[in-house]
Amino acid sequence: MDFKVAGTRKGITALQMDIKIGGLTREILQQAMEQARKGRLFLLDKMDAVLDGTSHRSARPMRLALKP
């Protein structure tokens, strides 16, 4: 099973699952969702630690022009 979850501290914003088994039990799904929640919160904590609460946005947004 390939299972990907993206989101914020408030909840899930995207979910992808590829199943290669005959069925998916409620217990397997609950375990996968709990692992994904713990992993998402762990990564968000690491990101917050690096950003240290400061804003890294530029006062002047970058412009990008693409020529076809």
Side-chain angles (χ1 to χ4, degrees), residues 7-58:
T8 66
R9 292 190 188 283
K10 293 182 181 180
I12 296 170
T13 57
L15 175 70
Q16 177 186 343
M17 181 185 302
D18 296 323
I19 303 172
K20 296 175 177 64
I21 58 176
L24 181 65
T25 66
R26 181 182 207 109
E27 292 78 24
I28 291 173
L29 184 56
Q30 284 177 328
Q31 182 182 8
M33 293 297 287
E34 180 60 19
Q35 279 184 316
R37 185 187 70 79
K38 287 178 180 179
R40 188 176 71 249
L41 295 177
F42 175 81
L43 290 173
L44 289 170
D45 287 343
K46 294 295 182 183
M47 291 167 63
D48 284 344
V50 170
L51 294 175
D52 195 33
T54 60
S55 177
H56 292 281
R57 292 185 181 172
S58 172

